[in-house]
Amino acid sequence: MRAYLEVARKSFLSNLVFRTEYFAGLLGAIVTIFVNISIWRAIYDEEGTLDHLQFSMTVTYVILALSLFHIFTMDEYVIEKKIKSGLITSDLLRPISFRLYTFSYHLGGLVYRIILLLLPTLLFYTVVYRILPPFSWFMFCIFLISIMLGYLVMYSLNFIIWVSAFWFYKTFSLITIKETAVMVLSGAVIPLWYFPEWLVDYIKLTPFDTIFFIPISIYLGQMPAGEMWQSLMKQVLWLLFLTVAGHFLWKRASYKLVVQGG
């Protein structure tokens, strides 16, 4: 356990070195959210339905969704780069789990972005737009659990894509498709309650709504108690399924590497 904590610590500290990248990321997050809020305000003004509470809820959703989208950013080519450079063989020889090593590496980056990206962004928009507080303290606690599950679902989905680099020379296309699907179907850009009902029914058959839409809906109190527990269970089930799928895919990849002589 100590080794993995050290990996996370080094990942956190290495991110602190790139100050220019940090300020660029913070500015990018703030500008992206501002542009999206401006678009939603224009839509409400055009339709003539600028209800204060409904607009405030949409603004809060957009701020939370895009802020979380930015902090859920991961090194999409972490395994592909190691395969192409040949470092994957030395990593597999280490007396630690490569999967836990990769997770710890990204966990350090996540903590960095929470402290230095998420909190300043939320503080800025709390002052500018006065985002809505959580529906209740109980809902806020459930939201924190749900958003942790959402991150783990996102990571597990990413890991499957990353491991595909053992079979595909370049994973850029797969990653682009996955990123587009996450951005649209998870509710990161548009809340799913604005989608056609028939489309939402199909989206709920996928893991995408478990990443952002479910946690933020819980935060805003837009989910009945019974449905909330079902949604948490859905997150857990998708996490288990993707984790097991990633495990078997990794085993196949490791066997492929050994058979081919590294």
Side-chain angles (χ1 to χ4, degrees):
M1 179 62 69
R2 227 177 248 184
Y4 302 117
L5 290 176
E6 183 63 19
V7 171
R9 187 184 73 86
K10 288 183 177 180
S11 175
F12 177 85
L13 293 176
S14 66
N15 278 282
L16 291 175
V17 176
F18 303 102
R19 295 184 181 180
T20 303
E21 184 178 336
Y22 160 69
F23 285 111
L26 179 60
L27 181 62
I30 291 175
V31 170
T32 301
I33 293 171
F34 176 78
V35 169
N36 277 268
I37 291 175
S38 299
I39 292 172
W40 279 108
R41 180 180 291 277
I43 293 172
Y44 274 88
D45 287 341
E46 181 70 22
E47 295 294 327
T49 58
L50 187 57
D51 177 79
H52 178 69
L53 179 59
Q54 186 179 10
F55 181 69
S56 296
M57 189 173 293
T58 301
V59 167
T60 301
Y61 183 99
V62 169
I63 292 171
L64 289 175
L66 290 176
S67 297
L68 291 170
F69 183 80
H70 277 86
I71 71 164
F72 279 16
T73 301
M74 303 179 197
D75 184 354
E76 300 285 2
Y77 301 96
V78 59
I79 293 181
E80 181 179 317
K81 288 184 292 187
K82 287 181 177 293
I83 293 173
K84 289 182 177 179
S85 65
L87 291 175
I88 188 69
T89 53
S90 59
D91 285 335
L92 291 177
L93 292 174
R94 294 179 180 179
I96 59 175
S97 167
F98 178 79
R99 294 182 64 200
L100 289 178
Y101 167 84
T102 305
F103 177 75
S104 301
Y105 169 78
H106 285 93
L107 185 61
L110 174 66
V111 173
Y112 165 82
R113 286 188 292 276
I114 288 175
I115 296 173
L116 296 174
L117 185 61
L118 178 64
L119 296 182
T121 301
L122 292 181
L123 179 61
F124 174 81
Y125 278 107
T126 299
V127 174
V128 175
Y129 284 105
R130 297 181 181 179
I131 62 176
L132 296 175
F135 187 75
S136 67
W137 282 109
F138 174 73
M139 288 293 194
F140 181 69
C141 293
I142 301 300
F143 161 75
L144 293 179
I145 295 173
S146 182
I147 202 62
M148 284 190 289
L149 290 171
Y151 175 80
L152 293 174
V153 169
M154 178 78 161
Y155 176 83
S156 300
L157 179 62
N158 281 344
F159 186 80
I160 291 174
I161 301 297
W162 300 341
V163 174
S164 67
F166 279 91
W167 290 273
F168 298 96
Y169 181 72
K170 290 185 177 181
T171 57
F172 174 79
S173 297
L174 290 176
I175 290 171
T176 301
I177 294 170
K178 183 267 300 178
E179 283 293 300
T180 303
V182 169
M183 186 175 293
V184 176
L185 303 180
S186 70
V189 177
I190 304 174
L192 295 188
W193 58 64
Y194 290 113
F195 281 46
E197 188 174 345
W198 63 268
L199 181 56
V200 175
D201 290 338
Y202 282 110
I203 293 174
K204 287 183 177 180
L205 297 176
T206 73
F208 296 112
D209 68 318
T210 67
I211 300 173
F212 298 117
F213 182 71
I214 287 177
I216 300 175
S217 295
I218 293 173
Y219 176 93
L220 293 171
Q222 295 297 297
M223 192 173 288
E227 186 179 344
M228 179 181 69
W229 297 118
Q230 290 177 3
S231 297
L232 287 174
M233 182 57 66
K234 178 183 177 181
Q235 287 183 295
V236 171
L237 291 175
W238 269 115
L239 174 59
L240 289 175
F241 174 78
L242 292 172
T243 300
V244 171
H247 173 75
F248 281 107
L249 197 61
W250 172 248
K251 287 293 184 182
R252 288 286 304 275
S254 301
Y255 177 77
K256 176 183 175 67
L257 186 65
V258 171
V259 168
Q260 291 182 353

